[in-house]
Amino acid sequence: MKHFLPADILLPKKDIETWAVVACDQYTSEPDYWHDVETIVGDKPSALHIILPEIYLSPDNSERIEKINATMQEYLDGGVFDVHENSMIYVERESNNTVRRGVVGLIDLEDYDYHKGSSALIRATEATVLERIPPRVQIRKDAPLEMPHILLLIDDPALSVIEPLSERKNGFDRAYGFELMKNGGHIDGYFLPEAVQQQVQDALEALIADKDDKLLFAVGDGNHSLATAKECYNATKDPLARYALVEIVNIHDKSIEFEPIYRVLFNVDKEDFLSKFIARTEAAGGSDTQRFTVIDKNGEADIDVKATAKLPVGTLQTFIDDYIKENPGVRIDYIHGTDVTRKLCQEDNTLGFLFEGMGKDELFPAIVADGSLPRKTFSMGHAEDKRYYIETRRIK
């Protein structure tokens, strides 16, 4: 049985440069970014018009979602797309002087389980926040199309699955090639011939053939989007909804760098938070310490606290979760990059935290041993490196 499959992929016939926009969960505290994208796109057919950037999420998104679904249907009826049946696309993404290689295709949601401790073929890398799923289900449940910003990681130190495609790409039909907007770099896509698709499938199966723990794919980006797809499929058992379009990448690709995802708290009393944070960690009685750089509008300083989890992010996030329950006016955002974190902390009653991240070689062993990591533990690169929406697929 094969666990990575070709798909009937839809690609826009023209204006692909303005079609492709970054993942909806990026720049959630930077409205200027999305305003710029709206200006660039205008009224051209674009992925922007059929996604809901999370910066615009509200308690009632029904009107915006209804418009998104109507626009999807307009694009389907209006000849916006070419259909490429039974396709996999080899992708090369140039960004920040590196090239990330991947393959776009289908995974079976029956093979995926986001619950901690799962032994499924496809597993979450971080704790899934259940309350984040319903708003996404509202967006997806009636949508006729899906677009992936999901990146699944494979553990292939021998570089046997994806990397050999680079040397053969000139013999493949080109799917696309263009510059991504807003410093996203350059991207090229190539259709894989059927025989090469089978070679990719066989190489993937060989990765887990001799392993007791059959972990083939770990979710690198888009965990909550994939969890949403699973819940929508569970609700309908629609055969089209059983599958999800993703890009697979090798964790050993030289371009893959794990960046910490920092925390910024808004509407928070700095002294109250820090005093209680330090007191909580001291009470836990651990012997190891972890260092955090704490930032507010007056500057920044390092603090050392007793470790209550293996990773600094675990120590901090556990306390933040409890603190917000007791102080519901406090809001958190998860930030990529030190510069953005420092910029956001120039406002009153805002507090940021920088800390050391995890190494990518620790990921697969950690999932096998512990089930999953604290949510928002790592990011594969900065916001501009995230996947852009390009490929599309019918899910109804």
Side-chain angles (χ1 to χ4, degrees), residues 66-337:
E66 185 176 341
K67 183 176 180 181
I68 287 171
N69 291 339
T71 304
M72 287 183 178
Q73 195 60 52
E74 288 175 13
Y75 288 175
L76 285 168
D77 296 340
V80 168
F81 302 112
D82 283 327
V83 183
H84 303 274
E85 296 181 347
N86 296 313
S87 293
M88 289 183 187
I89 297 178
Y90 168 63
V91 176
E92 289 188 347
R93 167 79 178 278
E94 296 181 33
S95 179
N96 294 317
N97 299 314
T98 64
V99 178
R100 184 177 74 217
R101 298 167 177 84
V103 180
V104 176
L106 286 183
I107 53 98
D108 186 341
L109 292 169
E110 293 280 7
D111 292 330
Y112 166 64
D113 187 348
Y114 60 77
H115 294 94
K116 184 178 177 65
S118 164
S119 59
L121 194 87
I122 307 168
R123 299 177 210 170
T125 52
E126 63 181 25
T128 302
V129 184
L130 298 181
E131 58 266 26
R132 295 186 65 190
I133 295 178
R136 290 162 175 77
V137 169
Q138 288 299 114
I139 296 168
R140 185 182 176 97
K141 68 183 182 67
D142 295 319
L145 296 173
E146 70 166 359
M147 294 181 296
H149 73 258
I150 297 161
L151 292 176
L152 297 187
L153 298 169
I154 61 172
D155 186 13
D156 179 23
L159 313 182
S160 63
V161 179
I162 299 171
E163 285 75 10
L165 302 174
S166 179
E167 298 177 359
R168 306 172 64 182
K169 66 184 180 184
N170 291 335
F172 304 153
D173 292 335
R174 181 178 285 270
Y176 49 72
F178 61 98
E179 298 296 319
L180 295 160
M181 68 172 73
K182 298 286 290 178
N183 301 315
H186 184 87
I187 193 164
D188 291 299
Y190 304 85
F191 293 111
L192 296 185
E194 184 176 348
V196 179
Q197 292 180 18
Q198 293 175 359
Q199 291 167 8
V200 168
Q201 291 173 317
D202 291 342
L204 283 170
E205 299 305 318
L207 293 180
I208 56 172
D210 299 325
K211 293 184 177 179
D212 293 331
D213 189 298
K214 304 294 185 182
L215 170 59
L216 180 57
F217 299 120
V219 183
D221 268 337
N223 181 60
H224 287 90
S225 294
L226 197 57
T228 297
K230 176 78 171 188
E231 292 306 308
C232 288
Y233 166 61
N234 285 341
T236 66
K237 296 299 181 181
D238 185 310
L240 277 177
R242 174 173 170 169
Y243 301 90
L245 198 61
V246 303
E247 181 180 344
I248 62 170
V249 296
N250 185 8
I251 196 171
H252 299 283
D253 189 305
K254 291 181 180 179
S255 72
I256 300 295
E257 295 183 0
F258 277 18
E259 301 280 350
I261 301 179
Y262 302 118
R263 273 56 174 166
V264 174
L265 299 176
F266 303 90
N267 304 319
V268 66
D269 182 320
K270 173 186 175 181
E271 300 304 325
D272 183 67
F273 182 92
L274 291 180
S275 64
K276 290 178 179 177
F277 179 41
I278 294 169
R280 168 77 70 86
T281 60
E282 289 289 340
S287 58
D288 296 332
T289 61
Q290 294 166 338
R291 174 159 292 184
F292 297 88
T293 299
V294 182
I295 307 169
D296 69 359
K297 69 175 184 177
N298 297 316
E300 55 189 79
D302 292 337
I303 64 169
D304 293 320
V305 304
K306 297 291 186 180
T308 62
K310 181 178 180 181
L311 299 173
V313 65
T315 297
L316 178 61
Q317 188 64 50
T318 299
F319 178 76
I320 287 175
D321 289 343
D322 291 340
Y323 189 85
I324 289 178
K325 288 178 183 176
E326 297 173 0
N327 300 269
V330 176
R331 182 173 67 86
I332 185 172
D333 203 355
Y334 302 93
I335 305 301
H336 304 273

Side-chain angles (χ1 to χ4, degrees), residues 2-30:
K2 307 300 184 185
H3 296 102
F4 187 66
L5 305 167
D8 292 344
I9 294 176
L10 308 180
L11 291 174
K13 292 180 178 180
K14 61 180 182 178
D15 295 326
I16 196 167
E17 294 87 351
T18 49
W19 172 267
V21 299
V22 79
C24 65
D25 58 351
Q26 301 303 303
Y27 302 101
T28 53
S29 293
E30 298 174 76

